[in-house]
Amino acid sequence: MLRQYDVIVIGGGPMGLSTAFHLSKRKVRTLLLEQFTFFNQLGSSAGMSRQFRLPYPEAYMVKLVKQSIPFWDELQSLTPTTLLDKVGTLWFGDPKVHSTEGNIAEAEKALQELNVPYTTLTAAEIEREYHFRDLPSDYTGLFQPDGASIDLRAVQQTLYNWNAASPFVAMEDEAPVTRVTQHGRTFEVMTPKGAFTAEKLVLVPGPFANGVFQLLGFRIAATYWNMASAFYRITEPGIQYPTWFVFQNAAGDNGNEFYGFPEVSWDHPGTIRVASDFVIQPLDSPEQRTLVPNPRELEYTAQWVRDHMTGLAPVPLFTSTCLVALSRIPNKELLIDFAPAYVPNHRNIVLYATGWAAKFVPLLGRILSDLALDGHTPFDISHFATGATYLKPL
Ligand code: BEZ
């Protein structure tokens, strides 16, 4: 086993796998460390499906999704498995609601700015074309045809296979980082499998970010959502939803925003996943998380399914959870930056943390590898600078 690398990537989820992939293409000796096992279900990539979508309230996010498309094409060229099942994105609901995901009118404006095609819909059209029912008559919607279900497992497998075959990448699982020390420009990274050294670090530990960042003397201001999903049996054969998101006003502790998928062949076929995009109790640290979904969040989701969806059994067959770290600074969905300046050699420590980024996996690996090797990237990441998000360590 080699002990010395050019870059050590900490975090073996989709972002780490993608970063190693891009580093390997530049023939850089890379070590990818995963604290659990590759493909584990304990972090932000738990579950098998994610949404690829262009609607965002911010034009810079729409632009970034557009920029990710050639990188998706590149990844797709490495596998016969379809990575993006293109079924379209349906955003609908109360046009007055401004939520964690934005607002429908703002998204339309951003899509127009970037020349992204979409159609607008009335409540009656949403019911007629997309199987929803009993929607308030003032609901509106937009349909964007490039949206897709992401086969997250296949994305990871494709990247993993590439890295496993690459002479430039070593992957170690069950290798949590317990200490990082600096000797001049060299980082020494301690794990139960021994110590490894490199002059560059890329930190992508998902919701476990602060556990790693603290080893380098900083942390970010984050909150944690243990998100609940439910899989409903399809009772009307052939019924096919797009990927969708509904904007509604919260009612008490019911955040009242839900999202869902069509049936996909790779994730509990015969069912579709519907989930709540809120949590009743955010967490202060990942350690507070349990693998049991919040029953009230599940019940609010089930009520939505019973009231407004067709062709599904009223009670879910399976449930699951997924832990995500969210930035506490408003409008800072993703954090992509170097470590703060008070950390020695901070420009040699690159990080990505917080937010929903599965749709950016192939592109973010490229951006993080650019930052690690070149100190800059041609992609506009100015909106994701950590700035005030950093806290001194406890
Ligand atoms: C997303 O596409 O980023 C997303 C979709 C549903 C819930 C949360 C985030």
Side-chain angles (χ1 to χ4, degrees):
M1 185 190 298
L2 262 186
R3 292 285 164 193
Q4 205 183 331
Y5 292 87
D6 299 318
V7 182
I8 297 176
V9 179
I10 300 178
M15 292 308 168
L17 289 163
S18 177
T19 305
F21 165 70
H22 284 282
L23 290 169
S24 77
K25 289 201 305 167
R26 292 183 63 179
K27 302 190 177 1
V28 168
R29 288 173 312 153
T30 302
L31 173 64
L32 178 59
L33 294 174
E34 165 54 41
Q35 64 170 332
F36 305 122
T37 50
F38 289 101
F39 309 105
N40 74 72
Q41 292 292 300
L42 299 171
S44 301
S45 50
M48 307 288 157
S49 52
R50 290 291 185 278
Q51 293 190 3
F52 176 88
R53 49 129 170 161
L54 280 142
Y56 267 99
E58 306 91 359
Y60 64 82
M61 292 298 272
V62 179
K63 184 172 174 194
L64 202 68
V65 185
K66 278 184 85 172
Q67 288 175 322
S68 78
I69 291 171
F71 293 90
W72 278 107
D73 293 342
E74 176 190 31
L75 198 58
Q76 184 61 75
S77 73
L78 303 179
T79 176
T81 306
T82 300
L83 301 178
L84 297 180
D85 184 15
K86 201 164 145 181
V87 288
T89 300
L90 175 66
W91 266 26
F92 69 103
D94 182 338
K96 294 183 291 302
V97 165
H98 291 257
S99 80
T100 47
E101 307 307 330
N103 162 270
I104 298 171
E106 285 170 2
E108 280 194 48
K109 204 163 150 269
L111 290 172
Q112 283 165 18
E113 213 175 308
L114 273 296
N115 290 320
V116 175
Y118 68 93
T119 48
T120 52
L121 297 152
T122 63
E125 286 165 337
I126 296 164
E127 293 184 357
R128 197 167 58 241
E129 292 173 37
Y130 299 109
H131 319 298
F132 293 95
R133 67 183 175 87
D134 295 330
L135 299 176
S137 59
D138 61 343
Y139 275 20
T140 60
L142 70 84
F143 181 78
Q144 204 295 316
D146 300 300
S149 299
I150 303 173
D151 183 340
L152 190 63
R153 171 77 193 205
V155 168
Q156 292 188 82
Q157 190 70 58
T158 306
L159 292 165
Y160 181 91
N161 291 351
W162 170 280
N163 289 327
S166 168
F168 298 101
V169 180
M171 295 189 282
E172 292 291 337
D173 65 358
E174 299 183 329
V177 175
T178 53
R179 201 176 65 222
V180 181
T181 45
Q182 297 201 38
H183 311 280
R185 290 175 63 84
T186 303
F187 296 101
E188 184 182 67
V189 174
M190 185 60 77
T191 77
K193 294 188 171 176
F196 303 93
T197 61
E199 287 200 359
K200 311 265 187 170
L201 298 180
V202 178
L203 312 179
V204 279
F208 308 101
N210 274 334
V212 173
F213 296 171
Q214 289 200 148
L215 300 175
L216 283 148
F218 68 98
R219 62 192 181 92
I220 52 162
T223 183
Y224 300 86
W225 284 17
N226 194 32
M227 298 178 78
S229 281
F231 293 80
Y232 289 85
R233 190 167 55 79
I234 296 169
T235 54
E236 198 180 308
I239 194 163
Q240 197 58 308
Y241 286 88
T243 59
W244 58 271
F245 190 97
V246 64
F247 293 79
Q248 306 184 113
N249 275 317
D253 70 359
N254 180 0
N256 217 6
E257 296 199 311
F258 305 97
Y259 63 100
F261 295 79
E263 181 185 20
V264 291
S265 58
W266 64 85
D267 190 10
H268 299 98
T271 71
I272 70 165
R273 176 154 89 91
V274 184
S276 46
D277 189 34
F278 62 90
V279 291
I280 290 172
Q281 187 62 62
L283 308 176
D284 292 325
S285 79
E287 290 73 33
Q288 294 172 345
R289 160 314 153 96
T290 74
L291 294 172
V292 181
N294 180 300
R296 287 219 305 282
E297 292 164 14
L298 288 178
E299 183 43 38
Y300 288 135
T301 307
Q303 195 61 54
W304 162 263
V305 170
R306 286 192 291 270
D307 289 348
H308 298 295
M309 297 185 74
T310 55
L312 301 180
V315 177
L317 271 183
F318 312 97
T319 61
S320 65
T321 60
C322 177
L323 183 66
V324 62
L326 299 175
S327 170
R328 284 189 184 271
I329 307 294
N331 302 325
K332 286 268 182 203
E333 182 169 343
L334 315 177
L335 301 178
I336 305 170
D337 209 339
F338 299 102
Y342 54 80
V343 177
N345 291 319
H346 74 108
R347 299 276 303 183
N348 289 339
I349 305 168
V350 175
L351 61 89
Y352 157 70
T354 76
W356 289 283
K359 63 188 81 60
F360 297 118
V361 164
L363 171 60
L364 270 189
R366 162 66 194 273
I367 290 174
L368 295 170
S369 67
D370 287 346
L371 294 177
L373 300 183
D374 308 326
H376 55 84
T377 178
F379 300 94
D380 179 10
I381 54 166
S382 58
H383 303 277
F384 313 124
T386 44
T389 318
Y390 280 131
L391 299 177
K392 290 273 186 188
L394 288 174

